[in-house]
Amino acid sequence: MSVTFKAITTENGKGLFHLFPALCKGCGLCIEKCPVDTIGWAKQLGAFGTPVVEPGHGKPCIACKKCQLVCPDAAIWIERRDGKGRDTSLTAAPEKHVQHK
Amino acid sequence: MAIAAQPQMPRVWRAETKPHKFCPGCGHGIVLKALGEAIDALDIQERTIFGCDIGCSLLSWDFFNLDTVQTHHGRTTPVLVGIKRARPELVVVSYMGDGGAYAIGAQHLVSSASRNDLVTIIVVNNTVYAMTGGQMAPTTLPGQKTETTPYGRDARLTGRPILGPELVAAIAPPGAYVARGSIANIVQLKNFIQKGLQNQLEGRGIAFIEALSSCPTNWHTNAAATWRFVEKEMTAYFPVGELRTPEEKPSGRFQEVPPYES
Ligand SMILES: Cc1ncc(C[n+]2csc(CCOP(=O)(O)OP(=O)(O)O)c2C)c(N)n1
Ligand code: SF4
Ligand code: SF4
Ligand code: SF4
Ligand SMILES: [Mg+2]
């Protein structure tokens, strides 16, 4: 069985900030780890009816992927707008995400 | 055609069971991300068996696309050691909380360490008995307030927090791999876990990794205070790093007894 998640995609600085509201539990761990403080609370609600996060609250995103790395729920995917460094993140590129039965 | 953006989960994660059952900001999700990445990197999904304990670790019973067993406090290790002895080609992972591993089921950890069992053990240290409402655990820090230490843990009364990796490192024979990582350094934690799995794959001996983790629900912390507690207070008492690596030479009281391999 395969499953897909809808993203809210926001362009910011060097990154495309993909946020999956069905996964985001609004814990705020990512907000604390962003080196440019761009992440803040959004209007949309997430998995538990609490606000999800969005970029645009600080300096422009530098696509460091720290937020993606620390999110316990894999609710963020940072895509670089220049298309580089797709495979260098801790997690695999989406093309490689194979769903097993 | 461009693929619609999808979450970057480790391949071994089971996407249809997400969002997972852990609370917002729970470190278990981060540790299981590091474990998932390590399993992916070694490409051992088809032969890995995952065991979880009593406690919040059991919320991971449907987390991975792996054959999974859930057992009682600390017994996860002997159950998986049994599986390993019957099916030595498998890779077995014992995933426990600090309460299960160091208090309620500690004898199993001690026995496995002294036998140098071929098992990779991950203990999530969140300084409390989380699932039952945040009571004092062996790892609760001196002065830390919990449900059962409302005025802060008094070390004169209840002793000092247990140092799990130090304990295992002191009794495990040569060939053991022992480390302490933290959710504050996920790449390092993933590398420690990967080395721990490698140790089992090479048949060298036990692998034990403690992960400093968070429990915002029972700590009653917001995100900033959660990180502060993990990175400042926990790390000051529980040093992060490798304690034993399998390259060391056998010496002294340790005879060269290879790990049991059926
Ligand atoms: C023998 C026994 N004693 C007590 C309990 C109640 N109990 C269930 S979970 C738990 C705490 C587990 O804490 P820990 O291992 O640290 O896991 P966490 O929930 O913190 O991840 C306790 C005391 C039990 N299930 N069995
Ligand atoms: S990628 Fe880095 S800079 Fe961009 S939002 Fe995430 S943490 Fe902030
Ligand atoms: S994106 Fe992840 S880390 Fe950030 S608030 Fe949501 S669940 Fe928490
Ligand atoms: S109670 Fe604590 S350890 Fe358990 S799921 Fe919630 S945050 Fe995680
Ligand atoms: Mg615990």
Side-chain angles (χ1 to χ4, degrees), chain B residues 27 60 66 91 112 117 128 132 140 152 154 171 188 199 228 241 249 254 262:
Chain B
S60 65
L66 294 174
V91 179
S112 257
D117 282 332
V128 284
T132 43
T140 299
D154 182 350
I171 54 179
Q188 180 194 55
N199 212 45
R228 205 179 313 121
K249 289 263 174 306
F254 289 118
S262 96

Short mmCIF file of all heavy atoms in Angstrom, two decimals, chain B residues 27 60 66 91 112 117 128 132 140 152 154 171 188 199 228 241 249 254 262:
data_model
loop_
_atom_site.label_atom_id
_atom_site.label_comp_id
_atom_site.label_asym_id
_atom_site.label_seq_id
_atom_site.Cartn_x
_atom_site.Cartn_y
_atom_site.Cartn_z
N GLY B 27 11.56 12.75 21.30
CA GLY B 27 12.85 12.35 20.74
C GLY B 27 12.83 10.96 20.13
O GLY B 27 13.68 10.63 19.30
N SER B 60 6.38 2.20 18.83
CA SER B 60 7.04 1.98 17.54
C SER B 60 6.72 0.60 16.97
O SER B 60 7.36 0.17 16.02
CB SER B 60 8.56 2.13 17.69
OG SER B 60 9.06 1.11 18.53
N LEU B 66 9.48 -3.76 9.06
CA LEU B 66 10.39 -4.79 9.58
C LEU B 66 9.54 -5.75 10.41
O LEU B 66 8.54 -5.34 11.01
CB LEU B 66 11.42 -4.17 10.54
CG LEU B 66 12.46 -3.21 9.98
CD1 LEU B 66 13.28 -2.62 11.13
CD2 LEU B 66 13.38 -3.90 8.97
N VAL B 91 19.68 -9.71 11.54
CA VAL B 91 20.24 -8.60 12.33
C VAL B 91 19.16 -8.21 13.33
O VAL B 91 18.02 -7.94 12.94
CB VAL B 91 20.59 -7.40 11.43
CG1 VAL B 91 21.16 -6.26 12.26
CG2 VAL B 91 21.58 -7.82 10.35
N SER B 112 23.58 -9.89 29.02
CA SER B 112 23.92 -9.82 27.60
C SER B 112 25.30 -9.21 27.41
O SER B 112 26.07 -9.64 26.56
CB SER B 112 22.89 -8.99 26.83
OG SER B 112 22.03 -9.84 26.13
N ASP B 117 26.71 -10.79 23.73
CA ASP B 117 25.71 -11.27 22.77
C ASP B 117 25.73 -10.46 21.48
O ASP B 117 25.97 -9.25 21.50
CB ASP B 117 24.31 -11.17 23.38
CG ASP B 117 24.02 -12.29 24.37
OD1 ASP B 117 24.59 -13.39 24.21
OD2 ASP B 117 23.22 -12.06 25.30
N VAL B 128 13.06 9.90 32.42
CA VAL B 128 11.82 9.61 33.17
C VAL B 128 11.19 8.30 32.72
O VAL B 128 11.54 7.76 31.67
CB VAL B 128 10.75 10.72 32.98
CG1 VAL B 128 11.08 11.96 33.79
CG2 VAL B 128 10.55 11.04 31.52
N THR B 132 4.20 6.05 31.79
CA THR B 132 3.32 5.99 32.96
C THR B 132 3.11 7.36 33.60
O THR B 132 2.52 7.45 34.67
CB THR B 132 3.90 5.00 33.99
OG1 THR B 132 5.31 5.21 34.07
CG2 THR B 132 3.63 3.58 33.57
N THR B 140 17.07 9.99 36.09
CA THR B 140 16.62 11.34 36.46
C THR B 140 17.79 12.12 37.07
O THR B 140 18.52 11.60 37.92
CB THR B 140 15.45 11.24 37.46
OG1 THR B 140 14.38 10.53 36.83
CG2 THR B 140 14.97 12.61 37.91
N GLY B 152 12.41 17.79 43.45
CA GLY B 152 13.68 17.55 42.77
C GLY B 152 14.32 16.27 43.31
O GLY B 152 14.18 15.95 44.49
N ASP B 154 16.65 13.87 45.03
CA ASP B 154 17.64 13.98 46.09
C ASP B 154 18.60 12.80 45.97
O ASP B 154 18.25 11.66 46.29
CB ASP B 154 16.93 13.98 47.45
CG ASP B 154 17.92 14.16 48.62
OD1 ASP B 154 19.14 14.09 48.37
OD2 ASP B 154 17.44 14.35 49.74
N ILE B 171 31.83 -3.98 31.68
CA ILE B 171 31.71 -5.44 31.80
C ILE B 171 31.77 -6.19 30.47
O ILE B 171 31.99 -7.40 30.47
CB ILE B 171 30.42 -5.86 32.54
CG1 ILE B 171 29.18 -5.23 31.90
CG2 ILE B 171 30.52 -5.50 34.02
CD1 ILE B 171 27.87 -5.64 32.58
N GLN B 188 25.71 12.23 13.94
CA GLN B 188 26.60 11.43 14.80
C GLN B 188 25.85 10.23 15.38
O GLN B 188 26.37 9.10 15.41
CB GLN B 188 27.13 12.30 15.93
CG GLN B 188 28.07 11.57 16.87
CD GLN B 188 28.30 12.36 18.16
OE1 GLN B 188 27.36 12.73 18.86
NE2 GLN B 188 29.56 12.62 18.47
N ASN B 199 28.88 -3.89 13.85
CA ASN B 199 29.54 -4.77 14.82
C ASN B 199 28.87 -6.13 14.88
O ASN B 199 29.52 -7.16 14.96
CB ASN B 199 29.52 -4.11 16.21
CG ASN B 199 30.71 -4.47 17.04
OD1 ASN B 199 31.83 -4.44 16.55
ND2 ASN B 199 30.49 -4.84 18.29
N ARG B 228 17.22 22.95 25.43
CA ARG B 228 18.14 23.36 26.49
C ARG B 228 18.40 22.21 27.46
O ARG B 228 19.54 21.94 27.85
CB ARG B 228 17.58 24.58 27.24
CG ARG B 228 18.64 25.44 27.89
CD ARG B 228 18.05 26.66 28.61
NE ARG B 228 17.06 27.40 27.84
CZ ARG B 228 15.80 27.60 28.23
NH1 ARG B 228 15.36 27.12 29.39
NH2 ARG B 228 14.97 28.29 27.47
N GLY B 241 29.72 10.38 23.23
CA GLY B 241 30.92 9.90 22.55
C GLY B 241 30.98 8.38 22.55
O GLY B 241 30.07 7.70 23.04
N LYS B 249 42.59 -4.21 21.76
CA LYS B 249 43.20 -5.52 22.01
C LYS B 249 42.65 -6.12 23.30
O LYS B 249 42.51 -5.42 24.30
CB LYS B 249 44.73 -5.37 22.16
CG LYS B 249 45.44 -5.03 20.85
CD LYS B 249 46.00 -6.30 20.22
CE LYS B 249 46.59 -6.05 18.85
NZ LYS B 249 45.71 -5.40 17.89
N PHE B 254 40.10 -10.50 30.58
CA PHE B 254 39.27 -11.02 29.50
C PHE B 254 40.00 -12.10 28.71
O PHE B 254 41.06 -11.88 28.14
CB PHE B 254 38.85 -9.90 28.57
CG PHE B 254 37.86 -8.97 29.17
CD1 PHE B 254 38.16 -7.63 29.36
CD2 PHE B 254 36.63 -9.45 29.59
CE1 PHE B 254 37.23 -6.77 29.92
CE2 PHE B 254 35.69 -8.60 30.15
CZ PHE B 254 36.00 -7.26 30.32
N SER B 262 25.68 -19.78 17.09
CA SER B 262 24.94 -21.02 16.87
C SER B 262 25.75 -22.13 16.20
O SER B 262 26.37 -21.94 15.20
CB SER B 262 23.66 -20.76 16.08
OG SER B 262 23.82 -20.97 14.74
#
